[in-house]
C-alpha cells in the first residue's frame, strides 16, 4: 500500500511537472532557449493576469497566498500552543477535559466550507460590522471591515487549522519524560519556569510539525476562502507603500482559487490548460518549499535537543 501510494504521488507530480514546465519552455528554433525558459518563469511569477485571467502571470495570487498563510501562522501558533499547554499541563483530567479533546478532534474533521460559512457570519457580519460601528461610523453604510477581506481570510484559516496545532503540540508535550519535570521541580523551579524553560523548548519540533501540517492545509484550501475575502481579480495588493502598509480590509487573490477560475470558468476551455498546470506547479512548489524549510528547522532542533539529552 505504501508503494502504491508513492507511485500515485509520483505520477501526479510527474504530470504536473511536465505539463507545467512545458508552458515555460520556448518553441523550437528560438535562440538561447534556456535563458528564454528562465525568463518565462520569471515573467509568470512577476506579472499580473491579463485577458480575464486567461493570460499573463500569477503575481497577485502568489503574493496573496503567501500573505494569508503567513498571517494565519502568526495567529494560529500562539493560540494553538497555549491551548495545548493548558490541556496538558494545567487543566484537570476529568470528564470536561475529555469532552473538550473529543470536540477538538471532531473540529478537525468538519468540512472546510462550514468554516467559511462561520467566518462569513461571525467574523465578517458580526465582528466586522461591530468594528465599523465603533471606529468607522462616519463611512457607513459603506463597510470597511464588515465586508470580506484579508483579516477574515486569515482568521478563518487559523480556525480551520487550530485543531492540527493543538493536537501536535499536546502530543509533543506528552512525550517529554517525567524525569525532566521532576528534576526541574526538585531544583527549586516553579511549574511555570519548568514549563517555559525546559519542557516547551524541547517540544518545539512537535510544534513545528503542527505548523507544517497547518501550512500545507491552508495553502491548498479554496472553498471557505471564497466566502470571506478571496476574489478572482484584485486591483490592489494587501501590502504596499501607503500607510498603514498592511491593509487587512482588502480582498486578496489566492493561487488555488486562481487555478479553479482559469480551469473551470474560462470560456477558452482546454486552451488554458497549460496555464492551469503552470499555476498548479507553482502552488505545489510553494507548499513543498514551505514544508521543507520547516522540516529542516525541526530536524536541527531535534538534533540540538538530542545532544542536550545525551550530555545530561
Amino acid at each position: 500500500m505504501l508503494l502504491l501510494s508513492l507511485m500515485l504521488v509520483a505520477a501526479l507530480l510527474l504530470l504536473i511537472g511536465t505539463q507545467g514546465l512545458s508552458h515555460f519552455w520556448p518553441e523550437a528554433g528560438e535562440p538561447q532557449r534556456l535563458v528564454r525558459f528562465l525568463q518565462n518563469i520569471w515573467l509568470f511569477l512577476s506579472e499580473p493576469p491579463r485577458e480575464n485571467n486567461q493570460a499573463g502571470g500569477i503575481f497577485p495570487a502568489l503574493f496573496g497566498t503567501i500573505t494569508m498563510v503567513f498571517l494565519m501562522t502568526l495567529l494560529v501558533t500562539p493560540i494553538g500552543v497555549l491551548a495545548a499547554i493548558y490541556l496538558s499541563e494545567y487543566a484537570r483530567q476529568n470528564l470536561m477535559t475529555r469532552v473538550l479533546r473529543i470536540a477538538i478532534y471532531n473540529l478537525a474533521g468538519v468540512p472546510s466550507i462550514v468554516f467559511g460559512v462561520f467566518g462569513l457570519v461571525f467574523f465578517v457580519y458580526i465582528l466586522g460590522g461591530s468594528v465599523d460601528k465603533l471606529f468607522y461610523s462616519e463611512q457607513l453604510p459603506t463597510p470597511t471591515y464588515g465586508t470580506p477581506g484579508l483579516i477574515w481570510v486569515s482568521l478563518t484559516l487559523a480556525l480551520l487549522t487550530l485543531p492540527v496545532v493543538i493536537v501536535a503540540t499536546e502530543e509533543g508535550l506528552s512525550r517529554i519524560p517525567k524525569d525532566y519535570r521532576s528534576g526541574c521541580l526538585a531544583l527549586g523551579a516553579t511549574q511555570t519556569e519548568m514549563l517555559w524553560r525546559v519542557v516547551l523548548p524541547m517540544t518545539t519540533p512537535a510544534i513545528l510539525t503542527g505548523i507544517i501540517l497547518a501550512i500545507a492545509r491552508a495553502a491548498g484550501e479554496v472553498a471557505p476562502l471564497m466566502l470571506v475575502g478571496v476574489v478572482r481579480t484584485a486591483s490592489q495588493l494587501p501590502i504596499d507603500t501607503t500607510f498603514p502598509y498592511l491593509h487587512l480590509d482588502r480582498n486578496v487573490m489566492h493561487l488555488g482559487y486562481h487555478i479553479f477560475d482559469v480551469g473551470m470558468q474560462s470560456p477558452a476551455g482546454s486552451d488554458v490548460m497549460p496555464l492551469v498546470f503552470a499555476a498548479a506547479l507553482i502552488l505545489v512548489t510553494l507548499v513543498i518549499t514551505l514544508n521543507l524549510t520547516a522540516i529542516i528547522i525541526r530536524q536541527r532542533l531535534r538534533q540540538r535537543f538530542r545532544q542536550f539529552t545525551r550530555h545530561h
Side-chain angles (χ1 to χ4, degrees):
M1 293 303 297
L2 176 61
L3 181 60
L4 178 61
S5 301
L6 292 176
M7 290 175 60
L8 291 175
V9 172
L12 177 63
L13 294 178
L14 181 63
L15 174 64
I16 295 176
T18 54
Q19 295 292 329
L21 291 176
S22 65
H23 177 71
F24 306 118
W25 195 255
E27 298 180 358
E30 290 191 20
Q32 298 181 334
R33 299 181 67 186
L34 180 59
V35 175
R36 185 60 179 172
F37 171 73
L38 297 177
Q39 290 177 346
N40 290 339
I41 295 178
W42 170 250
L43 292 176
F44 186 71
L45 295 176
S46 59
E47 288 186 346
R50 301 190 309 271
E51 301 177 13
N52 200 24
N53 287 350
Q54 299 177 33
I58 59 168
F59 177 72
L62 181 62
F63 189 86
T65 302
I66 295 175
T67 302
M68 67 180 67
V69 168
F70 180 73
L71 288 177
M72 178 275 300
T73 305
L74 292 180
L75 291 169
V76 75
T77 301
I79 298 175
V81 171
L82 290 176
I85 290 173
Y86 172 76
L87 290 174
S88 178
E89 303 293 330
Y90 292 99
R92 294 182 179 180
Q93 303 306 312
N94 50 25
L95 178 61
M96 182 61 68
T97 307
R98 290 194 294 270
V99 171
L100 187 58
R101 284 196 176 93
I102 293 174
I104 292 173
Y105 283 108
N106 289 335
L107 192 63
V110 173
S112 59
I113 190 64
V114 177
F115 287 95
V117 174
F118 175 83
L120 178 64
V121 174
F122 180 75
F123 291 141
V124 178
Y125 292 155
I126 297 178
L127 189 58
S130 300
V131 171
D132 284 347
K133 290 179 182 179
L134 290 175
F135 301 103
Y136 300 95
S137 58
E138 69 279 359
Q139 300 182 16
L140 292 175
T142 301
T144 302
Y145 284 93
T147 185
L150 173 62
I151 181 62
W152 312 132
V153 173
S154 302
L155 283 172
T156 302
L157 283 178
L159 185 63
L160 179 68
T161 56
L162 182 61
V164 178
V165 179
I166 294 177
V167 172
T169 304
E170 192 172 6
E171 290 180 354
L173 289 170
S174 64
R175 289 197 296 264
I176 303 300
K178 293 183 178 180
D179 295 343
Y180 289 100
R181 306 171 189 265
S182 302
C184 291
L185 296 176
L187 291 173
T190 63
Q191 184 179 6
T192 302
E193 291 174 338
M194 175 268 295
L195 177 65
W196 291 99
R197 296 189 179 184
V198 177
V199 176
L200 196 59
M202 297 182 68
T203 316
T204 305
I207 297 174
L208 286 176
T209 300
I211 295 175
I212 291 171
L213 297 174
I215 289 175
R217 184 176 184 185
E221 284 293 344
V222 176
L225 307 184
M226 294 186 293
L227 300 175
V228 290
V230 167
V231 294
R232 66 187 306 269
T233 56
S235 58
Q236 296 175 310
L237 294 176
I239 300 177
D240 56 21
T241 57
T242 304
F243 184 84
Y245 311 117
L246 175 61
H247 303 275
L248 298 175
D249 58 320
R250 289 182 180 176
N251 292 329
V252 293
M253 294 182 66
H254 185 271
L255 197 51
Y257 183 53
H258 181 73
I259 294 171
F260 166 77
D261 178 70
V262 175
M264 303 300 296
Q265 306 295 326
S266 174
S270 60
D271 294 339
V272 297
M273 290 311 295
L275 183 62
V276 172
F277 278 108
L281 176 61
I282 299 301
L283 179 58
V284 171
T285 304
L286 174 64
V287 174
I288 292 176
T289 302
L290 292 173
N291 286 343
L292 285 178
T293 303
I295 288 172
I296 292 173
I297 297 175
R298 183 184 63 185
Q299 291 300 118
R300 290 185 177 180
L301 289 174
R302 281 181 175 175
Q303 184 65 27
R304 174 184 174 185
F305 290 123
R306 189 177 296 116
Q307 293 175 356
F308 173 83
T309 305
R310 188 181 301 118
H311 292 324
H312 292 78

